[in-house]
Amino acid sequence: MRTQVAIIGGGPAGLLLAHILDRHGIDSVVLERQTRAYVLKRIRAGVLEAGTVELLREVGLGERLNREGHSHDGSAIAWAGRERFFIDTKKYTGKSMMAYGQTAITEDLYAARDAAGGQIVDEAADVQLHDLTSDRPCVTFDKDGASRRIDCDYVAGCDGFHGVSRQSTPDSMLRTFDKGYPFGWLGIMSETPPFPDLCYCYHQRGFALASMRSPMLSRYYIQCDLDTRLEDWPDERFWEEFKARCPQKMADAIVTGPSIEKSLAPLRSFVAEPMRYGRLFLAGDAAHIVPPTGAKGLNLAVSDVFYLSRALADVYRRGDPRHLDGYSDMALRRVWGAVRLSWWLTNLLHRFPGDTAFDQRMKESQLDYLASSEHAQASLAEQYVGIPFEE
Ligand code: APR
Ligand code: PHB
């Protein structure tokens, strides 16, 4: 097989890249390790930055998003004993966020690729990247027991944190930055009306988050220990603990119900630099991981894909390599901004095992300052809604 861009990974980053490249008349093949059903079963984040919504609409993926997405003008922060306040992105930036699940985006992307006759190879095993520093890279993989090879011009590594792409860069050429957090998130999905606002709660017992997917689909999280076991958390216990971490008025407004999904996720900050090695370009979780506190993971995958697709279009249509040569630096400027915001919010809103009374006071003082200062809230709002893409 031959294609212009071989894309490793059929998650949001890989599929969106294939979709946008196709709109520029650039040919690609997506190699996905899992089955499509497996990919679509994943429950992930659900908050889109304004730039993400705008881009999805621009590339023809706005129809279901406009119909089923829940636009909101920011998120609330609450904490025990004090009035909650609202990170008003509309007031401070003029922009709104959108609650729309990553699963729905992935479904929309698969549908768009199918409609366009896009080439997606599911269950592609043992993908390997070759000759990345030559001008004739290629990718090999196994499918249905046969070894296959794709010759290409470029390889896009969109295969997530555990993928093969980042590992195909020699260690000597890669700088990595890694930070683990001493807790995780226990999340549930329930077919109940969500709490009206997306609300982050800080509490002595730990962090809690009320979010949503649709008028009858709610998403809730509580901070939990790293050794937490799902079997120790029946629904009743989850709801009781969640409500214990909210201000009473909020707890009274939570509509509980049976969970249709329950999962645990550890929190991590990770960045790999540079996001390029020869003809290989990394995008999405393959290059960076953020704790979900800032809702940046999916949005960073989208911004990487925006930059990379624009860069490849410049090369193929005008022979102009400037955006491609500048891809890693440009993408990383946005990545580090989102990593910093996610790290800062995670430190502010979670109880760390070693927190002293002084640490507690520092968090409360920071929250008091945020609640009292329009400048502080404007700064948080512009970062939360997403800094505009660079030209
Ligand atoms: N070969 C082929 N495909 C692979 C390989 C491999 N060696 N390794 C992983 N994959 C596939 C995975 O099965 C997955 O479908 O690559 C895809 C990567 O998708 P994601 O992990 O969703 O990463 P990305 O597309 O960058 O999207 C980032 O997903 O994990 C969330 O929080 C993250 O919201 C963010 C978003
Ligand atoms: C979600 O709805 O899954 C969600 C919302 C906000 C976050 C993280 C996750 O910060």
Side-chain angles (χ1 to χ4, degrees):
M1 291 166 81
R2 165 136 190 94
T3 188
Q4 289 172 300
V5 183
I7 299 174
I8 319 301
L15 292 171
L16 182 59
L17 180 62
H19 175 76
I20 299 178
L21 290 179
D22 188 30
R23 290 172 63 90
H24 288 296
I26 299 167
D27 185 47
S28 69
V29 176
V30 174
L31 298 180
E32 166 56 48
R33 177 163 63 181
Q34 306 291 354
T35 63
R36 182 177 294 200
Y38 183 94
V39 173
L40 292 175
K41 254 203 333 272
R42 290 185 186 131
I43 300 276
R44 291 281 169 66
V47 171
L48 307 184
E49 292 177 352
T52 295
V53 174
E54 194 181 328
L55 178 64
L56 291 175
R57 286 172 173 157
E58 263 170 31
V59 299
L61 293 166
E63 196 269 328
R64 182 182 170 201
L65 171 75
N66 294 331
R67 197 173 65 244
E68 297 181 13
H70 170 78
S71 181
H72 54 279
D73 294 341
S75 300
I77 294 183
W79 72 105
R82 291 198 182 53
E83 267 310 298
R84 63 183 222 148
F85 67 89
F86 194 65
I87 314 169
D88 194 336
T89 61
K90 191 76 174 174
K91 174 180 175 184
Y92 295 114
T93 71
K95 299 174 190 169
S96 302
M97 313 280 292
M98 176 80 81
Y100 187 66
Q102 176 170 316
T103 309
I105 291 180
T106 311
E107 287 167 349
D108 298 347
L109 282 164
Y110 268 112
R113 297 309 300 134
D114 291 347
Q119 295 185 80
I120 300 173
V121 179
D122 296 326
E123 299 182 278
D126 191 23
V127 170
Q128 294 185 29
L129 315 184
H130 308 278
D131 304 324
L132 293 173
T133 54
S134 78
D135 58 3
R136 300 172 62 79
C138 73
V139 176
T140 56
F141 62 100
D142 296 337
K143 172 74 177 172
D144 301 332
S147 295
R148 315 290 174 97
R149 168 186 163 131
I150 301 179
D151 293 320
C152 54
D153 299 331
Y154 299 99
V155 181
C158 302
D159 45 351
F161 183 73
H162 301 289
V164 66
S165 297
R166 188 181 68 251
Q167 295 165 42
S168 300
T169 301
D171 289 347
S172 60
M173 304 295 285
L174 209 59
R175 282 183 308 282
T176 60
F177 305 80
D178 197 359
K179 177 181 181 54
Y181 297 86
F183 42 74
W185 281 15
L186 169 57
I188 73 163
M189 198 80 92
S190 60
E191 289 171 329
T192 54
F195 187 68
D197 292 329
L198 205 147
C199 187
Y200 298 86
C201 301
Y202 172 72
H203 194 278
Q204 278 296 315
R205 299 173 70 97
F207 169 85
L209 167 60
S211 186
M212 64 198 75
R213 290 290 179 277
S214 73
M216 271 309 285
L217 195 57
S218 301
R219 182 75 169 151
Y220 293 95
Y221 300 94
I222 56 172
Q223 171 184 346
C224 63
D225 295 337
L226 285 174
D227 60 358
T228 297
R229 300 183 318 161
L230 281 180
E231 54 265 37
D232 296 338
W233 283 87
D235 290 356
E236 297 67 36
R237 183 183 177 196
F238 179 91
W239 290 122
E240 187 183 337
E241 184 59 35
F242 185 90
K243 291 184 169 187
R245 299 184 183 188
C246 311
Q248 191 55 51
K249 240 169 41 175
M250 177 177 173
D252 295 343
I254 300 291
V255 178
T256 63
S259 61
I260 58 170
E261 187 269 350
K262 197 176 286 177
S263 54
L264 289 160
L267 271 63
R268 179 179 213 152
S269 297
F270 175 87
V271 180
E273 292 182 348
M275 291 171 58
R276 172 182 191 173
Y277 174 62
R279 292 292 181 106
L280 168 64
F281 294 85
L282 302 179
D285 275 15
H288 40 72
I289 295 287
V290 285
T293 326
K296 291 299 177 190
L298 175 58
N299 292 293
L300 277 180
V302 171
S303 52
D304 290 348
V305 165
F306 168 73
Y307 289 140
L308 183 55
S309 59
R310 179 178 68 180
L312 289 167
D314 285 357
V315 165
Y316 279 110
R317 290 164 60 171
R318 296 202 303 273
D320 178 355
R322 279 175 304 163
H323 273 138
L324 201 60
D325 292 340
Y327 165 72
S328 179
D329 288 345
M330 186 175 285
L332 282 168
R333 281 193 289 273
R334 188 181 185 87
V335 165
W336 278 113
V339 166
R340 173 180 42 76
L341 174 75
S342 306
W343 162 82
W344 182 77
L345 274 177
T346 300
N347 278 281
L348 177 62
L349 296 174
H350 290 76
R351 287 273 300 148
F352 283 65
D355 271 359
T356 63
F358 176 80
D359 298 324
Q360 173 74 20
R361 278 287 182 274
M362 286 297 98
K363 294 181 187 187
E364 289 173 354
S365 170
Q366 176 68 62
L367 286 162
D368 281 331
Y369 170 57
L370 262 179
S372 64
S373 164
E374 296 234 324
H375 301 289
Q377 288 186 31
S379 168
L380 178 51
E382 75 169 356
Q383 297 174 80
Y384 188 71
V385 81
I387 306 290
F389 296 153
E390 291 185 35
E391 287 309 313

